[in-house]
Amino acid sequence: MKDLTPQLIDSLKHYSLKDLTKDLTAGVIVAIIALPLSIALALASGVPPEQGLYTAIVAGFVISALGGSKVQIAGPTAAFATIVAGIVSRSGMEGLAAATILAGLILIAMGLLRMGSLIKFIPYTITTGFTAGIAVTILIGQLKDFFGLTFTRAPVETVEKAAEVARTFHTVNWTAALVGCLALAILILWPKVSKKIPASLIAVVAMSAAVELLRLPVNTIGDLYTISNAPPKFVLPALSYETIAAVLPDAFTIAVLAAIESLLSAVVADEMIGSRHNSNMELVAQGVGNAASALFGGIPATGAIARTAANIKNGGRSPVAGMVHAVVLLLVLILLMPYAALIPMPCIAAILFQVAYNMSGWRTVVKMAKHSPKSDVAVLVVTFLLTVLFDLVVAIVVGLSLACLLFMKRMADVAVVKEWEYVEDGAPGRLKPVPPHVMVYEITGPMFFGAADKIPHIGDKGPRRVLILRMRAVPALDITALNGLRRLWEECGRSGIQVIFSHVNEQPLSVFRRSGLYDQAGAENFVPNIDAALERAAELASGAEVGA
């Protein structure tokens, strides 16, 4: 269990007052950044605003305390917004709590089973595609509040929301649109004035004051939601078999997405501070944090790249900063939360527009479209479209399936089985002379079910009575390809041709041994290199074995 030690324990071994000062400063600044984001992301997820803060407080504290990264800041993120909104609309808050707890247990199991490294098997095209797709769904979901539209129904799917926006655009509230545009302008321009105070906080304060003082006809959070400043309370959701069965697919989606996003964030943080995170411990912490968040009224959480980067830039170097950020948010919730009722909804929409823009990675998408193979671009586009048109589950399943199929095709394409050209046949470039009774086939690339059909059939080869299969460039062999080699060995046996296997690598050799073909072909016919293979062929030529 040594590799499942939280970074907090290691960080506190050499902790100093100077470190505490830096962590306190970073924690307060990150809390200021997280405050409007947590509220906005809760509203985008279809839950009351205080639940976003519950998530940042509970999950943020637990994940920092137990995590495998020194500087990771966790909380609600945009990636979960559409997923959470869908779960709430289908299964209610009880279903969301159940899905989040189950996701937490799945994440804990992933960490305990040392699956932290498996996240690297998610192709970059898929993560880029579904991240861009989530950004589009967030943007479309906020058009109603940004323009102050009056919907006649409450659509859930992204396509339905876009259609409803188009159908009801004549109800636009131009005052709301102006407030949204001003908030967006502040978000874009304020960082050029000062980077010490978050632009989102300035936008919230300025627009709230303007709407309240000028009595503008714009919906605020208080018009649509009842604001509570009560601290998080432990509530055990009513779990039933029916509920668990209904939300289990959602739980897997939350777990996979939390694992991907948190570990990607941890990798980015490692590059910024020159450190190395413990991926398995991070998964366990994410699991405990998500389960705790659900038990205290929160929503799914994961590592947030932007807040983590802000923590690092402001001096945070230990998990204490993340814990301070959670405590500060708790104080804000208790003392200042009622004032959140004054925040205009178009301002919240503008903040989420910026979040969507930042997470879209459109420059990366354009670069990949220009410079990547067409097959990779196809996977990216399909994943993006399925995320927007359907949901993340469909997008990841189909995207992974396509990526796997393309990978197998590429591996099959590089697998080659080719006979040598011989000196006596007029091939002057061949370095090693081959006796007339010997034929050599070079096998290159991984031999698996996608390439098994390349294993040849050996017909009448005249005087050539020994076949050398040179396998030094075969890194892996599966049972389908092995059956192809067995078929070839049996065909050669019926034709009186002896088969010698040259330079069989470790993994293929273990497959030969387990299948029994190693013993059937004879250990003497598995040789380490082509020189030994030619010597063995010469022995066979001088003995009764050849042609027997």
Side-chain angles (χ1 to χ4, degrees):
M1 299 295 288
K2 186 179 179 181
D3 60 335
L4 290 177
T5 302
Q7 285 284 1
L8 178 63
I9 294 176
D10 292 333
S11 297
L12 292 179
K13 289 179 179 178
H14 306 286
Y15 204 64
S16 65
L17 182 60
K18 182 179 179 181
D19 295 328
L20 177 60
T21 303
K22 289 182 178 180
D23 286 337
L24 286 172
T25 303
V28 171
I29 293 174
V30 173
I32 295 172
I33 296 171
L35 175 62
L37 282 176
S38 298
I39 294 173
L41 291 169
L43 296 177
S45 302
V47 300
E50 64 269 15
Q51 290 193 247
L53 289 179
Y54 291 169
T55 308
I57 293 166
V58 178
F61 188 92
V62 171
I63 291 172
S64 290
L66 300 179
S69 170
K70 292 181 179 179
V71 292
Q72 181 94 280
I73 301 294
T77 64
F80 286 124
T82 53
I83 300 172
V84 172
I87 298 172
V88 172
S89 66
R90 292 190 304 270
S91 308
M93 294 304 299
E94 288 284 336
L96 175 61
T100 308
I101 291 172
L102 288 173
L105 296 176
I106 293 169
L107 284 164
I108 293 171
M110 290 171 66
L112 294 177
L113 293 173
R114 310 301 196 271
M115 296 176 66
S117 61
L118 293 183
I119 212 69
K120 64 186 178 184
F121 294 108
I122 305 292
Y124 189 54
T125 50
I126 292 178
T127 57
T128 303
F130 75 63
T131 301
I134 291 170
V136 170
T137 62
I138 291 172
L139 187 146
I140 293 174
Q142 295 306 308
L143 291 174
K144 172 183 179 292
D145 289 329
F146 188 86
F147 290 105
L149 303 179
T150 302
F151 279 12
T152 57
R153 57 194 184 92
V156 175
E157 301 298 331
T158 302
V159 176
E160 294 175 348
K161 289 179 181 177
E164 186 70 5
V165 168
R167 196 177 68 81
T168 62
F169 199 77
H170 65 279
T171 66
V172 61
N173 179 343
W174 292 110
T175 304
L178 177 61
V179 170
C181 289
L182 289 174
L184 202 55
I186 292 173
L187 293 171
I188 295 171
L189 299 176
W190 180 258
K192 298 179 181 179
V193 177
S194 173
K195 293 184 178 180
K196 292 184 178 180
I197 304 176
S200 57
L201 185 64
I202 297 298
V204 164
V205 173
M207 291 301 99
S208 298
V211 170
E212 179 67 16
L213 295 175
L214 300 176
R215 301 296 179 187
L216 299 178
V218 176
N219 279 336
T220 64
I221 292 178
D223 294 329
L224 303 179
Y225 300 92
T226 301
I227 304 295
S228 171
N229 65 340
K233 295 180 181 179
F234 180 85
V235 178
L236 185 65
L239 298 178
S240 65
Y241 176 80
E242 291 76 14
T243 301
I244 293 174
V247 302
L248 191 57
D250 296 313
F252 275 103
T253 303
I254 292 171
V256 170
L257 188 57
I260 293 172
E261 192 166 2
S262 64
L263 295 183
L264 285 176
S265 175
V267 169
V268 172
D270 286 348
E271 294 173 355
M272 294 180 70
I273 65 174
S275 182
R276 187 184 182 92
H277 73 281
N278 183 332
S279 58
N280 295 317
M281 190 64 237
E282 184 65 24
L283 289 180
V284 172
Q286 293 288 335
V288 176
N290 272 276
S293 176
L295 292 172
F296 283 89
I299 60 178
T302 186
I305 295 177
R307 275 160 273 175
T308 299
N311 179 38
I312 294 170
K313 290 177 181 177
N314 287 282
R317 288 297 182 273
S318 84
V320 174
M323 297 161 70
V324 169
H325 131 273
V327 173
V328 172
L329 286 176
L330 176 61
L331 295 175
V332 170
L333 169 69
I334 296 171
L335 301 176
L336 302 176
M337 191 59 181
Y339 295 104
L342 303 177
I343 302 175
M345 294 303 295
C347 183
I348 292 293
I351 292 173
L352 290 170
F353 279 176
Q354 187 183 51
V355 170
Y357 176 84
N358 290 336
M359 75 178 296
S360 68
W362 65 270
R363 292 183 179 85
T364 301
V365 173
V366 171
K367 184 177 179 180
M368 291 181 68
K370 286 182 178 179
H371 304 293
S372 299
K374 292 181 179 179
S375 56
D376 286 338
V377 176
V379 172
L380 188 154
V381 171
V382 168
T383 305
F384 169 80
L385 291 176
L386 290 176
T387 302
V388 175
L389 299 177
F390 296 97
D391 59 46
L392 198 59
V393 178
V394 175
I396 291 178
V397 170
V398 175
L400 273 176
S401 300
L402 283 176
C404 289
L405 288 172
L406 288 171
F407 174 77
M408 288 187 286
K409 181 182 182 303
R410 287 170 181 164
M411 291 299 98
D413 288 343
V414 301
V416 177
V417 182
K418 186 177 181 182
E419 186 175 7
W420 277 14
E421 294 178 355
Y422 306 113
V423 173
E424 61 268 28
D425 294 334
R430 178 58 55 199
L431 296 177
K432 289 187 177 298
V434 178
H437 71 284
V438 177
M439 50 187 160
V440 181
Y441 277 73
E442 188 95 28
I443 305 178
T444 304
M447 296 304 295
F448 66 110
F449 58 88
D453 63 334
K454 295 188 177 183
I455 297 172
H457 292 270
I458 301 296
D460 183 15
K461 287 294 183 177
R464 300 190 188 277
R465 313 311 298 165
V466 176
L467 168 64
I468 296 175
L469 292 178
R470 197 178 189 211
M471 300 179 64
R472 67 172 183 170
V474 179
L477 179 75
D478 76 352
I479 191 63
T480 305
L482 177 79
N483 286 337
L485 291 174
R486 182 187 292 277
R487 183 261 307 155
L488 174 62
W489 176 76
E490 291 173 349
E491 287 179 357
C492 290
R494 289 193 293 269
S495 301
I497 298 174
Q498 180 70 50
V499 180
I500 300 172
F501 297 91
S502 170
H503 199 151
V504 181
N505 290 307
E506 183 177 352
Q507 191 277 338
L509 186 60
S510 68
V511 176
F512 275 109
R513 291 181 186 278
R514 288 196 300 269
S515 69
L517 184 55
Y518 181 86
D519 294 326
Q520 290 175 292
E524 67 277 6
N525 290 318
F526 284 82
V527 295
N529 51 54
I530 187 63
D531 292 326
L534 291 173
E535 290 177 8
R536 173 62 180 160
E539 292 175 9
L540 294 173
S542 62
E545 295 176 86
V546 176

